[in-house]
Amino acid sequence: RVIAACLAAVQEGATEQAIEFRLPIQTGRVAWVEQRTAIVRNEAGELVEFHNSVRDITERRAAEALLRQSNERFFAVFE
């Protein structure tokens, strides 16, 4: 999925791409990660290289889920 997203970004002429996905880690738990890719081209527009970074966003995803649940309960009061 990550490779397909990078290839699609290259074909679209994008300069960057980001994707979030779950990743099993050695401790047996599953982490959410965000992978970002900077797509570097030369003056002719040809692909030269990728610069990648991967960041653990598990805590952010958990906080977003709690916020969604809280909002659902809050707005249910007004229905």
Side-chain angles (χ1 to χ4, degrees):
R1 191 171 144 216
V2 173
I3 293 170
C6 283
L7 292 175
V10 168
Q11 290 175 344
E12 294 167 3
T15 58
E16 59 184 32
Q17 174 272 335
I19 187 169
E20 295 179 2
F21 57 95
R22 294 181 317 169
L23 182 68
I25 57 176
Q26 212 168 22
T27 62
R29 73 180 183 95
V30 175
W32 276 97
V33 296
E34 175 187 60
Q35 182 266 333
R36 292 186 157 274
T37 303
I39 301 166
V40 181
R41 293 177 171 29
N42 62 17
E43 296 81 19
E46 301 166 328
L47 178 64
V48 176
E49 60 191 6
F50 295 111
H51 292 225
N52 291 297
S53 66
V54 178
R55 179 174 60 148
D56 185 340
I57 60 167
T58 304
E59 289 182 18
R60 187 191 87 197
R61 293 289 296 238
E64 289 171 348
L66 286 173
L67 181 59
R68 270 192 307 279
Q69 291 172 1
S70 177
N71 283 340
E72 287 170 5
R73 279 183 258 151
F74 176 77
F75 290 110
V77 172
F78 298 105
E79 291 180 352

